[in-house]
Amino acid sequence: MMEILTNLGGGFGIMFTPMAIFLCLLGVFAGITFGAIPGISPSMAVALLLPMTFALEPILGMVLLLGAYKGANYGGSVSAVLINTPGTPSAAVTAFDGYPMTKTGRVGEAMGISLYASVLGGIIGTVVLIIFARPLALVALRFWPSEYFALTILGLTTVATMGGKNWQKALVAVVFGLLLNTIGMDPIAGTQRFTFGDIRLLDGLSLIPAIIGLFALGELFYNIEHYAKGEKFDKLSYKLPKLRYYLTVWKNILRSGVLGTIIGIFPGAGGTIAAFISYDVEKRFSKKPEEFGKGSPEGVAAAESSNSASAGGALVPLLALGIPGSATAAVLLGSLLVHGLNPGPEMFVKEPELVYGMFASMFMANVFILLVGLLGSGLFVRVTDLKKTILYPLIFTFAIVGSYAVTSSMYSVVVCVVFGVIGWIFRRYGFPSAPVVLGIVLGSLAELSFRQALIIGGIESFYQRPLTLIMLTVALLAVLTPIVKKRLADKKAQAS
Amino acid sequence: MAQIGRFFAGHNVLTQLVFLGVVLAIGWLGLRPFKKLRRYTGQILVLLGILWIGLLFYFVTYSFRVPRFASVATTGATVPRFWFYVLIPITLLAFIPMLKGHEVPDQKSGNIWRLGVVFAALVLSLLSFRFIGYYISSAVFLVVVMWVLDSREKVELIVVPVGWVIFSYFFFYRLLYVRLPIGTLFSRLLG
């Protein structure tokens, strides 16, 4: 422990130079800006800044990129809360409650909670990264496909609480998402599935355009259908709550931060799955679960904290083992390799200044996110001052460019519009859209790990490996508990 | 089953949409005699549409070529079929509250015409990307949507599209390297 603290002191020593502070601030600012734009993912934000690092010292380059990574993770929530257009896939979960809060005039609360939860979640993720990087990475590597499959099933069980009263429709929506996810190349044998002669479908449906379509365009189509002449947004009084207010959600932030870090460690899992699972866990723990999806501060806190913490978790396998667990981690690995550095256990011994300098920069990035967020939130919120006649068309064009940016082709735009129509139909007939996203996000990992598990260990791997069995049992309980509880409550009500 | 699968797999996406339309039309006609269910027409058609997509995928899985090493537990057809098997009871589960009359009825339609015009403008705008490019196309689209939403202020109708084009050029094209289509017209004019 003393060694860690000493090295961390050295890391902060590097960070407290004007150049490092400037680059960290620049990275955070760029990350928040890019992250808030639908279609520009954190990995794209980091990749766009990568060329700037070639001329910098390795540590300074990493300071810039990590700042952008952390900033983009937070930036996604800004557009999610304000206009129901998640800037990043993981921010889709923030939109569940953040946007309803904005619609009901609680924009200050929503922005404040997302900011503080993001910062605190990021700090939790960084602390776990510093203390447990090596042992956790080794545990993650011991995960078999059957455990990955169990993890995705655990993620899918979140649908049980996501639908609320419409749980039957939520189930239909999640299976619809899972079905859509099978479009494209089969991940094991390479069979072409449901492409109907269109080679663009071989890669499957792009996630980001699908999310933009479902949430942004779906909502827009609905609003335009029900638009009345001269309609204006309610004047939003933007005021960040006092610090005392955030104490009401500290437990949610802490739990989701730890959970997000743990899920983030597993290569391929990522912030979106972390946000979904944490949201579900917090809904189960909550004393007011009925508020989730309608503007619950706990929901925003859970989604943002776990998403931000997962960024720290994703760096665990990268730094400790040299394995990038996410697209952004792969870009960061590329940056390290460009500078002739090989991440892995030896880097902790050979380059402690670099490793702990990176840790210190992550702490500093969180401070800057808080700073930029506090100063900028008031400005971001002004977007809702625009008239609907201006804002609606602009959201359309943002959504189109955002989708186009993903693959630089019209295919993504078409996917976005198709999902926009699906989102509108779902919105109109009371089908929740979020489970469709859940199905698309988890479908690939579920199929791949399920089939890998069968190939490697046969059907036995699902009940002979203790961890798999435990996770599957928890998943089963997660589905059954609300149903049984509801039945019991109904019986009680009938009896009385 | 394989023949049905090959039949559906042999048609392109647009034809699949026509098939979906036919199924929905049949479903709509089939619901007409049932007064009790009529108020759930939209919701039932959504369920029917999803079920049809599941069924379509199920049939098409029988047209997949089976790889030589398929004996190792699963093929590309396993998972889609599994999801379809799950979908059937779940769809029924969602249908039961409507059958019992416990579900909230479909909400009344808003201004479908306005939405139709905006959607048509969107589609036309996307189609024209190839010819007149993103910048002009999006500017025209902005004006049309603003007009449809009853904006009549001339300054707004000029400043917003022009501002957007300038912003998108500098921010997306120059800063983020998003190569937005400039269209055949301009690529020819500019050589």
Side-chain angles (χ1 to χ4, degrees):
Chain A
M1 195 66 190
M2 274 313 290
E3 189 193 343
I4 290 175
L5 287 174
T6 313
N7 285 327
L8 199 58
F12 273 109
I14 297 169
M15 277 310 296
F16 285 121
T17 57
M19 189 63 173
I21 291 171
F22 168 72
L23 287 170
C24 188
L25 187 61
L26 179 70
V28 165
F29 186 76
I32 292 177
T33 311
F34 292 157
I37 298 168
I40 309 291
S41 59
S43 56
M44 274 172 84
V46 174
L48 284 164
L49 294 177
L50 185 61
M52 286 176 70
T53 66
F54 295 159
L56 294 170
E57 292 273 316
I59 178 64
L60 293 177
M62 291 310 292
V63 166
L64 177 74
L65 298 184
L66 287 171
Y69 181 25
K70 306 282 286 179
N73 266 320
Y74 163 68
S77 71
V78 174
S79 48
V81 168
L82 293 177
I83 53 173
N84 201 28
T85 308
T88 55
S90 46
V93 187
T94 310
F96 296 168
D97 287 285
Y99 185 62
M101 284 177 85
T102 299
K103 280 210 295 193
T104 49
R106 295 157 67 199
V107 65
E109 279 179 60
M111 293 290 284
I113 287 178
S114 79
L115 175 63
Y116 279 95
S118 191
V119 169
L120 293 174
I123 290 171
I124 293 168
T126 311
V127 170
V128 173
L129 170 69
I130 294 169
I131 302 174
F132 301 109
R134 276 187 277 189
L136 281 176
L138 291 171
V139 171
L141 273 189
R142 289 201 185 121
F143 252 47
W144 266 46
S146 59
E147 272 102 40
Y148 272 102
F149 174 70
L151 181 69
T152 58
I153 295 299
L154 204 58
L156 285 171
T157 59
T158 59
V159 77
T161 57
M162 203 180 279
K165 280 181 185 171
N166 282 336
W167 62 272
Q168 298 101 325
K169 287 178 176 172
L171 285 175
V172 173
V174 78
V175 178
F176 180 55
L178 289 164
L179 264 171
L180 291 180
N181 186 72
T182 60
I183 293 173
M185 195 99 84
D186 150 27
I188 301 278
T191 312
Q192 286 186 30
R193 300 188 300 194
F194 319 121
T195 56
F196 303 110
D198 192 333
I199 55 164
R200 288 169 299 185
L201 287 173
L202 277 176
D203 275 343
L205 299 168
S206 310
L207 176 65
I208 297 174
I211 291 177
I212 297 173
L214 273 174
F215 287 95
L217 291 194
E219 179 79 14
L220 261 187
F221 286 144
Y222 183 84
N223 287 341
I224 287 173
E225 184 193 346
H226 296 275
Y227 176 79
K229 192 179 174 180
E231 193 178 289
K232 284 180 185 168
F233 283 110
D234 298 331
K235 193 77 181 167
L236 296 175
S237 59
Y238 171 72
K239 199 181 167 193
L240 282 176
K242 288 185 179 165
L243 274 175
R244 205 175 36 226
Y245 172 79
Y246 303 109
L247 292 176
T248 57
V249 287
W250 73 270
K251 282 181 189 167
N252 311 82
I253 293 175
L254 187 65
R255 266 196 303 260
S256 304
V258 173
L259 198 56
T261 314
I262 293 169
I263 295 168
I265 292 167
F266 301 108
T272 315
I273 297 178
F276 269 110
I277 294 181
S278 303
Y279 184 82
D280 179 60
V281 167
E282 290 311 317
K283 189 172 179 183
R284 288 170 195 276
F285 273 105
S286 175
K287 285 175 184 164
K288 299 170 190 166
E290 70 283 353
E291 282 185 9
F292 277 68
K294 293 171 190 161
S296 165
E298 295 171 60
V300 177
E304 269 310 299
S305 173
S306 62
N307 173 30
S308 185
S310 73
L315 294 181
V316 169
L318 173 71
L319 293 178
L321 303 163
I323 299 168
S326 65
T328 319
V331 181
L332 292 172
L333 173 66
S335 171
L336 288 168
L337 292 175
V338 164
H339 287 103
L341 297 161
N342 287 311
E346 283 190 5
M347 203 165 81
F348 281 82
V349 183
K350 287 183 179 171
E351 307 275 351
E353 283 183 353
L354 176 79
V355 174
Y356 286 91
M358 284 165 67
F359 292 159
S361 80
M362 288 172 75
F363 277 117
M364 192 170 271
N366 281 308
V367 174
F368 284 139
I369 288 173
L370 186 64
L371 196 71
V372 175
L374 285 174
L375 294 174
S377 291
L379 197 70
F380 304 146
V381 169
R382 294 278 74 89
V383 78
T384 52
D385 283 351
L386 285 172
K387 285 193 241 173
K388 285 185 179 178
T389 51
I390 296 176
L391 188 61
Y392 285 172
L394 284 178
I395 296 176
F396 266 119
T397 44
F398 248 112
I400 299 302
V401 181
S403 312
Y404 186 87
V406 176
T407 56
S408 284
S409 75
M410 288 304 289
Y411 162 67
S412 299
V413 180
V414 173
V415 170
C416 176
V417 174
V418 169
F419 273 88
V421 174
I422 294 172
W424 167 64
I425 294 171
F426 271 40
R427 175 89 164 78
R428 225 167 168 253
Y429 298 111
F431 286 78
S433 298
V436 181
V437 177
L438 185 69
I440 298 176
V441 170
L442 291 177
S444 307
L445 190 59
E447 174 169 9
L448 184 67
S449 50
F450 173 69
R451 292 175 65 189
Q452 280 177 339
L454 282 178
I455 291 168
I456 297 168
I459 196 78
E460 297 84 9
S461 58
F462 294 108
Y463 57 81
Q464 282 184 350
R465 290 186 60 83
L467 193 55
T468 310
L469 201 61
I470 291 168
M471 285 164 81
L472 287 175
T473 312
V474 171
L476 190 69
L477 288 173
V479 174
L480 290 179
T481 313
I483 297 171
V484 172
K485 264 186 181 175
K486 192 177 176 294
R487 279 275 163 96
L488 288 175
D490 286 350
K491 272 190 180 174
K492 231 180 187 180
Q494 273 179 354
S496 63
Chain B
M1 205 69 100
Q3 267 186 334
I4 303 173
R6 275 195 291 273
F7 169 77
F8 283 114
H11 290 88
N12 63 18
V13 180
L14 277 179
T15 319
Q16 303 301 337
L17 287 177
V18 174
F19 288 145
L20 177 65
V22 171
V23 170
L24 294 179
I26 293 170
W28 184 77
L29 287 173
L31 278 174
R32 291 294 90 195
F34 302 97
K35 263 189 183 173
K36 204 176 151 189
L37 290 176
R38 245 188 254 167
R39 56 197 185 126
Y40 302 118
T41 304
Q43 295 174 65
I44 293 172
L45 289 184
V46 172
L47 289 178
L48 183 67
I50 292 173
L51 197 61
W52 168 254
I53 291 169
L55 186 67
L56 174 75
F57 281 19
Y58 179 75
F59 283 141
V60 173
T61 56
Y62 285 95
S63 71
F64 291 168
R65 285 183 194 157
V66 182
R68 282 182 193 164
F69 54 91
S71 55
V72 287
T74 61
T75 70
T78 313
V79 170
R81 280 182 201 163
F82 175 72
W83 294 137
F84 176 63
Y85 296 140
V86 176
L87 183 66
I88 298 169
I90 285 174
T91 312
L92 279 174
L93 209 62
F95 179 61
I96 289 170
M98 298 174 207
L99 202 64
K100 287 182 175 173
H102 293 169
E103 185 63 68
V104 180
D106 292 354
Q107 57 171 287
K108 282 181 185 169
S109 294
N111 192 336
I112 293 287
W113 273 106
R114 184 191 293 121
L115 181 62
V117 172
V118 170
F119 189 74
L122 178 66
V123 172
L124 283 174
S125 160
L126 298 181
L127 288 174
S128 63
F129 275 15
R130 186 183 287 185
F131 308 106
I132 55 171
Y134 168 78
Y135 298 100
I136 292 185
S137 179
S138 63
V140 174
F141 172 75
L142 282 170
V143 174
V144 171
V145 179
M146 286 168 73
W147 187 271
V148 171
L149 294 177
D150 298 313
S151 174
R152 296 290 181 271
E153 287 180 38
K154 281 178 193 162
V155 179
E156 268 180 19
L157 289 168
I158 294 168
V159 169
V160 172
V162 171
W164 171 258
V165 167
I166 293 169
F167 168 78
S168 53
Y169 175 75
F170 283 104
F171 194 78
F172 291 107
Y173 195 81
R174 299 298 294 266
L175 183 67
L176 298 181
Y177 303 108
V178 179
R179 298 286 168 209
L180 294 161
I182 56 166
T184 47
L185 180 72
F186 285 96
S187 52
R188 275 182 196 160
L189 280 175
L190 299 171

